Amino acid sequence: MPDFTPSDRLATEHARRARSFGAAAADYADHRPDYPEAAVSFALAPVAARRPLRVLDLAAGTGKLTEQLLRAGLDVIAVEPDAAMRDELVGRLRGVVALPGSAEAIPLPDNRVDAVLVGQALHWFDLDRALPEIARVLTPGGVLAALWNLDDDRVDWVAEFAEIAGLGVRYSLRSGRSIPAHADFQEQELREFSHKQPRTAASLTATVGTHSPTLVRTPDEQQALLGRVRAYLEGNPATAGGEFELPLVTTVSRAVVGK
Ligand SMILES: C[S@@+](CC[C@H](N)C(=O)[O-])C[C@H]1O[C@@H](n2cnc3c(N)ncnc32)[C@H](O)[C@@H]1O
């Protein structure tokens, strides 16, 4: 019988959550927010003048960020380990290059891209392995940028909602949402951007169903949780009357590769 320590259990839970997203791929694509254009511009600024500008969307999921990068006319490759997420991406963004792979084993040659963007996913990576791997595929002077959409829980109802929903992606828990210091990269630069997303009680409840703390629960637990979230949103004056705006803060950490 293996002897599991508390840190083994945490690592197992982390791995389960990292692999959980495919179970709700279509809802993810329908309900998760996009990123502000100013945040994407900040992410790419160190290499913005390059043409062609080759960008890797790493942990691309269903292609939220990929779509924005394609719209900007960039030369984009998506890499995503989860087949259900990747299928959703390919179904929505026909013709895009979407490769199976992970941050720890990127299926690209050395010096292949000018920027690596990571939306809402850097915290899932084994960074001791992923950061040298990202540095390997970047061209000299290339940039790594990690973006997170965080519910702005400085707003009272958002704090209450995030608590009931058990969400970790909230502004008050933003510390650690950044690129750690690493010998392969110059010092990170951090910037925050206001963002918002039009929602209804039904769509915000569906969004909660796409978050990993929800996805690793049993079906009965998920149903009970989503019932509590929906009841809160339908009973709260700020969110009960049809469409409302969910306030978000998008935080971006960018670091230029040291080579
Ligand atoms: C919250 S989703 C973000 C998806 C997308 N980037 C976005 O902005 O909507 C996290 C994604 O990270 C992927 N992921 C988890 N661990 C990973 C790893 N080690 N390497 C690459 N991707 C990983 C998951 O499969 C999932 O698609």
PDB file of all heavy atoms in Angstrom, residues 1-21:
ATOM      1  N   MET A   1       0.864  -1.204   0.000  1.00  0.00           N
ATOM      2  CA  MET A   1       0.000   0.000   0.000  1.00  0.00           C
ATOM      3  C   MET A   1       0.898   1.251   0.000  1.00  0.00           C
ATOM      4  O   MET A   1       1.696   1.436   0.907  1.00  0.00           O
ATOM      5  CB  MET A   1      -0.844  -0.056   1.282  1.00  0.00           C
ATOM      6  CG  MET A   1      -1.927   1.010   1.387  1.00  0.00           C
ATOM      7  SD  MET A   1      -3.353   0.646   0.371  1.00  0.00           S
ATOM      8  CE  MET A   1      -4.378   2.019   0.758  1.00  0.00           C
ATOM      9  N   PRO A   2       0.798   2.124  -1.037  1.00  0.00           N
ATOM     10  CA  PRO A   2       1.663   3.309  -1.037  1.00  0.00           C
ATOM     11  C   PRO A   2       1.314   4.255   0.107  1.00  0.00           C
ATOM     12  O   PRO A   2       0.160   4.338   0.523  1.00  0.00           O
ATOM     13  CB  PRO A   2       1.371   3.965  -2.394  1.00  0.00           C
ATOM     14  CG  PRO A   2       0.129   3.337  -2.915  1.00  0.00           C
ATOM     15  CD  PRO A   2      -0.116   2.076  -2.161  1.00  0.00           C
ATOM     16  N   ASP A   3       2.330   4.947   0.602  1.00  0.00           N
ATOM     17  CA  ASP A   3       2.150   5.844   1.728  1.00  0.00           C
ATOM     18  C   ASP A   3       2.040   7.271   1.170  1.00  0.00           C
ATOM     19  O   ASP A   3       3.042   7.888   0.832  1.00  0.00           O
ATOM     20  CB  ASP A   3       3.384   5.686   2.633  1.00  0.00           C
ATOM     21  CG  ASP A   3       3.163   6.349   3.960  1.00  0.00           C
ATOM     22  OD1 ASP A   3       2.010   6.717   4.231  1.00  0.00           O
ATOM     23  OD2 ASP A   3       4.151   6.497   4.699  1.00  0.00           O
ATOM     24  N   PHE A   4       0.806   7.806   1.050  1.00  0.00           N
ATOM     25  CA  PHE A   4       0.630   9.126   0.463  1.00  0.00           C
ATOM     26  C   PHE A   4       0.799  10.219   1.507  1.00  0.00           C
ATOM     27  O   PHE A   4       0.115  10.227   2.536  1.00  0.00           O
ATOM     28  CB  PHE A   4      -0.746   9.257  -0.191  1.00  0.00           C
ATOM     29  CG  PHE A   4      -0.867   8.481  -1.464  1.00  0.00           C
ATOM     30  CD1 PHE A   4      -1.704   7.386  -1.565  1.00  0.00           C
ATOM     31  CD2 PHE A   4      -0.111   8.843  -2.579  1.00  0.00           C
ATOM     32  CE1 PHE A   4      -1.803   6.676  -2.742  1.00  0.00           C
ATOM     33  CE2 PHE A   4      -0.201   8.131  -3.758  1.00  0.00           C
ATOM     34  CZ  PHE A   4      -1.039   7.039  -3.849  1.00  0.00           C
ATOM     35  N   THR A   5       1.700  11.160   1.257  1.00  0.00           N
ATOM     36  CA  THR A   5       1.887  12.292   2.165  1.00  0.00           C
ATOM     37  C   THR A   5       0.923  13.401   1.741  1.00  0.00           C
ATOM     38  O   THR A   5       0.379  13.363   0.634  1.00  0.00           O
ATOM     39  CB  THR A   5       3.324  12.830   2.039  1.00  0.00           C
ATOM     40  OG1 THR A   5       3.467  13.349   0.714  1.00  0.00           O
ATOM     41  CG2 THR A   5       4.356  11.757   2.283  1.00  0.00           C
ATOM     42  N   PRO A   6       0.714  14.422   2.623  1.00  0.00           N
ATOM     43  CA  PRO A   6      -0.155  15.536   2.211  1.00  0.00           C
ATOM     44  C   PRO A   6       0.328  16.187   0.921  1.00  0.00           C
ATOM     45  O   PRO A   6      -0.478  16.579   0.082  1.00  0.00           O
ATOM     46  CB  PRO A   6      -0.058  16.499   3.398  1.00  0.00           C
ATOM     47  CG  PRO A   6       0.267  15.618   4.566  1.00  0.00           C
ATOM     48  CD  PRO A   6       1.127  14.511   4.016  1.00  0.00           C
ATOM     49  N   SER A   7       1.658  16.298   0.712  1.00  0.00           N
ATOM     50  CA  SER A   7       2.107  16.946  -0.524  1.00  0.00           C
ATOM     51  C   SER A   7       1.861  16.062  -1.744  1.00  0.00           C
ATOM     52  O   SER A   7       1.589  16.549  -2.831  1.00  0.00           O
ATOM     53  CB  SER A   7       3.568  17.392  -0.428  1.00  0.00           C
ATOM     54  OG  SER A   7       4.399  16.290  -0.407  1.00  0.00           O
ATOM     55  N   ASP A   8       1.902  14.714  -1.566  1.00  0.00           N
ATOM     56  CA  ASP A   8       1.506  13.822  -2.669  1.00  0.00           C
ATOM     57  C   ASP A   8       0.055  14.088  -3.054  1.00  0.00           C
ATOM     58  O   ASP A   8      -0.309  14.131  -4.225  1.00  0.00           O
ATOM     59  CB  ASP A   8       1.584  12.342  -2.267  1.00  0.00           C
ATOM     60  CG  ASP A   8       3.019  11.853  -2.137  1.00  0.00           C
ATOM     61  OD1 ASP A   8       3.893  12.472  -2.746  1.00  0.00           O
ATOM     62  OD2 ASP A   8       3.231  10.865  -1.401  1.00  0.00           O
ATOM     63  N   ARG A   9      -0.787  14.221  -2.004  1.00  0.00           N
ATOM     64  CA  ARG A   9      -2.228  14.423  -2.264  1.00  0.00           C
ATOM     65  C   ARG A   9      -2.460  15.733  -2.998  1.00  0.00           C
ATOM     66  O   ARG A   9      -3.248  15.804  -3.930  1.00  0.00           O
ATOM     67  CB  ARG A   9      -3.009  14.423  -0.947  1.00  0.00           C
ATOM     68  CG  ARG A   9      -3.363  13.035  -0.552  1.00  0.00           C
ATOM     69  CD  ARG A   9      -4.420  12.916   0.514  1.00  0.00           C
ATOM     70  NE  ARG A   9      -4.240  11.602   1.103  1.00  0.00           N
ATOM     71  CZ  ARG A   9      -3.525  11.373   2.185  1.00  0.00           C
ATOM     72  NH1 ARG A   9      -2.961  12.354   2.838  1.00  0.00           N
ATOM     73  NH2 ARG A   9      -3.370  10.146   2.628  1.00  0.00           N
ATOM     74  N   LEU A  10      -1.733  16.784  -2.573  1.00  0.00           N
ATOM     75  CA  LEU A  10      -1.878  18.082  -3.256  1.00  0.00           C
ATOM     76  C   LEU A  10      -1.445  17.968  -4.712  1.00  0.00           C
ATOM     77  O   LEU A  10      -2.099  18.496  -5.614  1.00  0.00           O
ATOM     78  CB  LEU A  10      -1.001  19.136  -2.559  1.00  0.00           C
ATOM     79  CG  LEU A  10      -1.635  19.867  -1.389  1.00  0.00           C
ATOM     80  CD1 LEU A  10      -0.631  20.856  -0.803  1.00  0.00           C
ATOM     81  CD2 LEU A  10      -2.903  20.604  -1.837  1.00  0.00           C
ATOM     82  N   ALA A  11      -0.335  17.264  -4.951  1.00  0.00           N
ATOM     83  CA  ALA A  11       0.169  17.109  -6.326  1.00  0.00           C
ATOM     84  C   ALA A  11      -0.833  16.331  -7.178  1.00  0.00           C
ATOM     85  O   ALA A  11      -1.073  16.655  -8.339  1.00  0.00           O
ATOM     86  CB  ALA A  11       1.528  16.403  -6.306  1.00  0.00           C
ATOM     87  N   THR A  12      -1.454  15.302  -6.564  1.00  0.00           N
ATOM     88  CA  THR A  12      -2.441  14.505  -7.302  1.00  0.00           C
ATOM     89  C   THR A  12      -3.657  15.352  -7.644  1.00  0.00           C
ATOM     90  O   THR A  12      -4.170  15.319  -8.758  1.00  0.00           O
ATOM     91  CB  THR A  12      -2.883  13.295  -6.439  1.00  0.00           C
ATOM     92  OG1 THR A  12      -1.710  12.609  -6.047  1.00  0.00           O
ATOM     93  CG2 THR A  12      -3.791  12.369  -7.196  1.00  0.00           C
ATOM     94  N   GLU A  13      -4.105  16.142  -6.668  1.00  0.00           N
ATOM     95  CA  GLU A  13      -5.268  17.024  -6.884  1.00  0.00           C
ATOM     96  C   GLU A  13      -4.940  18.050  -7.980  1.00  0.00           C
ATOM     97  O   GLU A  13      -5.753  18.312  -8.861  1.00  0.00           O
ATOM     98  CB  GLU A  13      -5.595  17.726  -5.554  1.00  0.00           C
ATOM     99  CG  GLU A  13      -6.655  18.807  -5.614  1.00  0.00           C
ATOM    100  CD  GLU A  13      -8.066  18.273  -5.849  1.00  0.00           C
ATOM    101  OE1 GLU A  13      -8.242  17.046  -5.840  1.00  0.00           O
ATOM    102  OE2 GLU A  13      -8.966  19.097  -6.075  1.00  0.00           O
ATOM    103  N   HIS A  14      -3.729  18.604  -7.940  1.00  0.00           N
ATOM    104  CA  HIS A  14      -3.309  19.585  -8.945  1.00  0.00           C
ATOM    105  C   HIS A  14      -3.337  18.941 -10.343  1.00  0.00           C
ATOM    106  O   HIS A  14      -3.866  19.526 -11.290  1.00  0.00           O
ATOM    107  CB  HIS A  14      -1.893  20.067  -8.611  1.00  0.00           C
ATOM    108  CG  HIS A  14      -1.418  21.194  -9.469  1.00  0.00           C
ATOM    109  ND1 HIS A  14      -1.738  22.509  -9.232  1.00  0.00           N
ATOM    110  CD2 HIS A  14      -0.658  21.198 -10.591  1.00  0.00           C
ATOM    111  CE1 HIS A  14      -1.197  23.276 -10.145  1.00  0.00           C
ATOM    112  NE2 HIS A  14      -0.524  22.506 -10.992  1.00  0.00           N
ATOM    113  N   ALA A  15      -2.808  17.733 -10.438  1.00  0.00           N
ATOM    114  CA  ALA A  15      -2.764  17.048 -11.737  1.00  0.00           C
ATOM    115  C   ALA A  15      -4.181  16.734 -12.233  1.00  0.00           C
ATOM    116  O   ALA A  15      -4.477  16.882 -13.423  1.00  0.00           O
ATOM    117  CB  ALA A  15      -1.944  15.761 -11.618  1.00  0.00           C
ATOM    118  N   ARG A  16      -5.059  16.318 -11.313  1.00  0.00           N
ATOM    119  CA  ARG A  16      -6.455  16.032 -11.708  1.00  0.00           C
ATOM    120  C   ARG A  16      -7.116  17.279 -12.251  1.00  0.00           C
ATOM    121  O   ARG A  16      -7.819  17.253 -13.251  1.00  0.00           O
ATOM    122  CB  ARG A  16      -7.269  15.584 -10.473  1.00  0.00           C
ATOM    123  CG  ARG A  16      -7.245  14.107 -10.189  1.00  0.00           C
ATOM    124  CD  ARG A  16      -8.185  13.804  -9.027  1.00  0.00           C
ATOM    125  NE  ARG A  16      -9.578  13.855  -9.396  1.00  0.00           N
ATOM    126  CZ  ARG A  16     -10.577  14.200  -8.570  1.00  0.00           C
ATOM    127  NH1 ARG A  16     -10.318  14.535  -7.326  1.00  0.00           N
ATOM    128  NH2 ARG A  16     -11.821  14.203  -8.983  1.00  0.00           N
ATOM    129  N   ARG A  17      -6.890  18.393 -11.553  1.00  0.00           N
ATOM    130  CA  ARG A  17      -7.519  19.645 -12.001  1.00  0.00           C
ATOM    131  C   ARG A  17      -6.943  20.095 -13.334  1.00  0.00           C
ATOM    132  O   ARG A  17      -7.678  20.561 -14.203  1.00  0.00           O
ATOM    133  CB  ARG A  17      -7.354  20.725 -10.925  1.00  0.00           C
ATOM    134  CG  ARG A  17      -8.306  20.500  -9.754  1.00  0.00           C
ATOM    135  CD  ARG A  17      -8.138  21.541  -8.673  1.00  0.00           C
ATOM    136  NE  ARG A  17      -8.220  22.898  -9.190  1.00  0.00           N
ATOM    137  CZ  ARG A  17      -7.939  23.992  -8.493  1.00  0.00           C
ATOM    138  NH1 ARG A  17      -7.554  23.894  -7.239  1.00  0.00           N
ATOM    139  NH2 ARG A  17      -8.040  25.184  -9.039  1.00  0.00           N
ATOM    140  N   ALA A  18      -5.623  19.954 -13.514  1.00  0.00           N
ATOM    141  CA  ALA A  18      -4.982  20.368 -14.784  1.00  0.00           C
ATOM    142  C   ALA A  18      -5.561  19.599 -15.968  1.00  0.00           C
ATOM    143  O   ALA A  18      -5.651  20.119 -17.072  1.00  0.00           O
ATOM    144  CB  ALA A  18      -3.475  20.147 -14.694  1.00  0.00           C
ATOM    145  N   ARG A  19      -5.992  18.350 -15.706  1.00  0.00           N
ATOM    146  CA  ARG A  19      -6.505  17.497 -16.794  1.00  0.00           C
ATOM    147  C   ARG A  19      -8.027  17.520 -16.897  1.00  0.00           C
ATOM    148  O   ARG A  19      -8.598  16.753 -17.670  1.00  0.00           O
ATOM    149  CB  ARG A  19      -6.063  16.041 -16.555  1.00  0.00           C
ATOM    150  CG  ARG A  19      -4.587  15.785 -16.795  1.00  0.00           C
ATOM    151  CD  ARG A  19      -4.317  14.292 -16.895  1.00  0.00           C
ATOM    152  NE  ARG A  19      -4.674  13.593 -15.668  1.00  0.00           N
ATOM    153  CZ  ARG A  19      -3.831  13.323 -14.672  1.00  0.00           C
ATOM    154  NH1 ARG A  19      -2.566  13.662 -14.775  1.00  0.00           N
ATOM    155  NH2 ARG A  19      -4.230  12.677 -13.601  1.00  0.00           N
ATOM    156  N   SER A  20      -8.686  18.388 -16.129  1.00  0.00           N
ATOM    157  CA  SER A  20     -10.147  18.279 -16.000  1.00  0.00           C
ATOM    158  C   SER A  20     -10.939  18.996 -17.088  1.00  0.00           C
ATOM    159  O   SER A  20     -12.119  18.751 -17.269  1.00  0.00           O
ATOM    160  CB  SER A  20     -10.577  18.848 -14.637  1.00  0.00           C
ATOM    161  OG  SER A  20     -10.374  20.255 -14.593  1.00  0.00           O
ATOM    162  N   PHE A  21     -10.291  19.894 -17.839  1.00  0.00           N
ATOM    163  CA  PHE A  21     -11.053  20.859 -18.643  1.00  0.00           C
ATOM    164  C   PHE A  21     -11.835  20.242 -19.809  1.00  0.00           C
ATOM    165  O   PHE A  21     -12.907  20.733 -20.174  1.00  0.00           O
ATOM    166  CB  PHE A  21     -10.120  21.962 -19.157  1.00  0.00           C
ATOM    167  CG  PHE A  21      -9.561  22.793 -18.051  1.00  0.00           C
ATOM    168  CD1 PHE A  21      -8.296  22.538 -17.532  1.00  0.00           C
ATOM    169  CD2 PHE A  21     -10.313  23.799 -17.477  1.00  0.00           C
ATOM    170  CE1 PHE A  21      -7.794  23.278 -16.485  1.00  0.00           C
ATOM    171  CE2 PHE A  21      -9.816  24.554 -16.425  1.00  0.00           C
ATOM    172  CZ  PHE A  21      -8.551  24.294 -15.928  1.00  0.00           C
TER     173      PHE A  21
END
